[in-house]
Structure formats: structure tokens, C-alpha cells
Amino acid sequence: MAARARQRRGSRSITRRSPLRHLVMPLVLVLLLGGIAGGSYVALQRYGTPVGEGTCVATGLGTSHRYTVERVANAALISAVAVDRQLPPRAASIALATAYQESQLRNIDYGDRDSVGLFQQRPSQGWGSVEQIMDPVYSTNAFYDALEQIPGYAEGDINDVAQRVQRSGHPEAYRDHETEGRLYASALTGQSGPNLVCTLGPTRGTSSPETVREQLVRQFPRAVESGRIGVTLDSARAVAGQVPTHAGATALVLDPGDDEALGWALANWAVARAAEDAVVQVSYRGRVWERAARGADAERWGEVAGGAPERVVVLVSGG
């Protein structure tokens, strides 16, 4: 697989005096400041835009990582497929570290040689057609199909296992993204509870619970078909006694049964898709994420007075 090549910096020492020596210091300062600016640019490219509208953050392991909503929506899809296939959370950690190294969690239609998609898979190496690989659900399942062929992958080193799947020319590159892969996998597979928080602007237009449901069925097809996830549509008024409501919102109610980890996976998945699907609120087990929250309230899930049902309630603007 094609991992993005790393640039190497060289250094050159000045060994003799030059008539232009008085220009050396200004040039050094320019290069130094340019390097700082370049480093800042790389940091923004890696971790997304600064704190503000349109970003999401997961916290744990003594740190936190913030991504753009595009990247988080793709991270949610990758994790959802792992949950749907009932793979261990470690599988999602490996997949997320891989996809960030390969594409920065973007579903791109270009890459080294014929590499495309989230995982930069190559049609010429048997991963499928370009059209198939550009379908993120297909490409994620293809990655997990290969991952499951590796004995002991769930206990193995994340970088080394990813390299066995990808066969990259940069075999240590996945290690750079292990921490954020583990953080987002923990949140999006439901292992760390309400641990994904998105800071978003007001909804632009409306969506519908049916639209969210379509994405749910695409990303959790086995769980929905088998009944592991119950899905019903309801009015915001019908759930008014259980969670705060929003005028004009419609409810999509997801029932994970007694599987609390699955419930939190669904709740965080809905938050991760909130920017695209006009989700205004997500609640589960007495906790609530509010799109309209600002300040300190925007940095955490709030609490619902009197608790909430053991179902995930997703309120969507419009519908």
C-alpha cells in the first residue's frame, strides 16, 4: 500500500568565509521561521482546523485528539463496520491508524500509482475495482477481511499488524497514529462511554430520520438485520418526557438491548455524523449531547434530569 512519503531534511555546514556571509543570518532566520510556519501547517493538516465549529474530539490515555467532521465521519464508518462484524475494538484501532496514515481519513480518488480510497488500496493488487474501493463500506470490509487472516492480530503490535495488511514502503509509519487510532476506536466502538464531542454550527437546512436510518443500515447491516439494533421512528413529542426536545425535530430511536457498549457505539456514531445529517441532539442512559451547546457545555455530554431510557434517541432537524 502506498503510505505518504516522508520528507527528509538535510543540513549543510559553512566551512569557509564568504563575501555574502552578512546574508547568512537573515537567511537562517527566514528558513527558521519558514520551518515553524511549515510545521504549524503540517500540524493543522494532521489534526484538523483549530478548536471551533466543525471539529470533534476524543479524550483518553492522558491526551486528546481533534479531527475535522469529515475525518470523524469516516472514522465512525470504519468503527461501525468493526462493531457490525463483532470484531474486537483492537481491529478498529488498527484500521483507524492505517486509514489516517494512508489518506488522513479521507476517501480520496488519487494516490501513489493506482492507490485510491480510505486505505489507499490498489486495484492492481486485487483489492477490487476503483469503483468498489471508492465505496468506503466496501473498502473497510476488504481491510477487515485481510486483517482477520493474520493470526493473533488482536494481540499484536498495531503498526506491525497494519504493515502485514498494507505492505507499505514505509513499514513504521502506522505507529505515528496509534494513539489517536486507539482513542477514536474506544469512543466509536462504545468502550469509553460518551467520549466523542463535536463542536458544530447551526444546522444548514433539514435532514430526516430516514436519511440517518439509511446510513445506519449501510454501516451496521448485520446488526440491524439480526435485530441486535432495533430501529424505530417517532415524533419528538413522543419522547418529550424522556429527553429534552427541539421544535421541528423528529426522533430516530435505536435500541441496543442490554448491550451498553453497542448503545454507546451508536450514540457516538450519531454524534460523529451530526454535521452531515443535521442531528441536533443525541441521548442515551441519562447523558445528552446538544448541538447548540456552547462554551464549557460544548466540551462534554450533559446530564438528563431524571435519567433517560436505555435506548439511543437521535433528534434530527426537520423530517
Side-chain angles (χ1 to χ4, degrees):
M1 292 306 100
R4 192 177 298 274
R6 297 179 177 176
Q7 295 181 346
R8 295 185 177 180
R9 298 180 178 177
S11 61
R12 182 176 300 171
S13 60
I14 299 174
T15 58
R16 62 182 178 179
R17 300 175 70 86
S18 165
L20 299 178
R21 62 184 180 277
H22 64 282
L23 296 177
V24 171
M25 186 56 69
L27 178 60
V28 169
L29 289 174
V30 169
L31 292 175
L32 178 61
L33 292 174
I36 293 172
S40 298
Y41 174 75
V42 170
L44 288 178
Q45 288 296 98
R46 178 173 179 183
Y47 296 115
T49 54
V51 176
E53 295 185 350
T55 62
C56 303
V57 64
T59 303
L61 302 174
T63 187
S64 63
H65 282 265
R66 185 173 293 273
Y67 284 163
T68 61
V69 292
E70 175 193 8
R71 289 170 178 155
V72 168
N74 286 326
L77 181 149
I78 290 169
S79 302
V81 174
V83 171
D84 186 59
R85 292 171 64 127
Q86 295 185 283
L87 300 177
R90 186 78 164 184
S93 297
I94 297 166
L96 291 175
T98 301
Y100 196 92
Q101 169 59 27
E102 295 290 357
S103 69
Q104 293 193 350
L105 281 170
R106 295 173 299 153
N107 193 34
I108 53 179
D109 60 358
Y110 58 90
D112 179 56
R113 288 170 283 188
D114 59 337
S115 302
V116 294
L118 282 171
F119 296 92
Q120 290 289 277
Q121 294 157 334
R122 298 179 59 190
S124 62
Q125 293 187 347
W127 287 99
S129 67
V130 171
E131 182 179 5
Q132 287 174 320
I133 296 170
M134 286 302 297
D135 176 351
V137 174
Y138 172 92
S139 65
T140 300
N141 273 300
F143 178 88
Y144 288 135
D145 287 344
L147 180 66
E148 287 191 287
Q149 299 305 308
I150 298 174
Y153 75 86
E155 293 78 36
D157 177 84
I158 286 178
N159 178 88
D160 295 348
V161 172
Q163 172 61 9
R164 289 188 64 182
V165 175
Q166 299 292 100
R167 300 179 183 177
S168 168
H170 301 274
E172 292 294 320
Y174 306 107
R175 200 174 306 283
D176 293 342
H177 311 292
E178 177 177 340
T179 298
E180 59 261 43
R182 290 173 61 193
L183 283 182
Y184 278 88
S186 179
L188 291 165
T189 62
Q191 305 304 303
S192 54
N195 191 25
L196 183 70
V197 179
C198 294
T199 304
L200 309 175
T203 56
R204 297 179 181 178
T206 60
S207 182
S208 71
E210 287 83 0
T211 300
V212 184
R213 185 184 186 280
E214 289 173 5
Q215 287 299 321
L216 181 82
V217 172
R218 259 184 57 76
Q219 297 180 32
F220 295 91
R222 302 166 183 82
V224 173
E225 184 176 354
S226 68
R228 283 178 62 211
I229 301 173
V231 183
T232 57
L233 301 180
D234 219 331
S235 67
R237 180 176 299 178
V239 297
Q242 304 164 6
V243 297
T245 59
H246 291 256
T250 309
L252 177 67
V253 182
L254 310 177
D255 187 353
D258 297 328
D259 190 340
E260 185 174 351
L262 177 59
W264 283 118
L266 293 169
N268 287 315
W269 174 87
V271 172
R273 292 198 53 84
E276 184 170 344
D277 291 338
V279 172
V280 294
Q281 182 192 95
V282 180
S283 58
Y284 181 57
R285 288 186 175 266
R287 304 297 297 276
V288 59
W289 171 83
E290 289 274 6
R291 187 189 189 113
R294 292 293 178 264
D297 290 339
E299 299 174 2
R300 59 178 178 267
W301 285 59
E303 296 184 1
V304 179
E310 295 182 356
R311 298 180 299 165
V312 180
V313 179
V314 182
L315 296 187
V316 182
S317 176

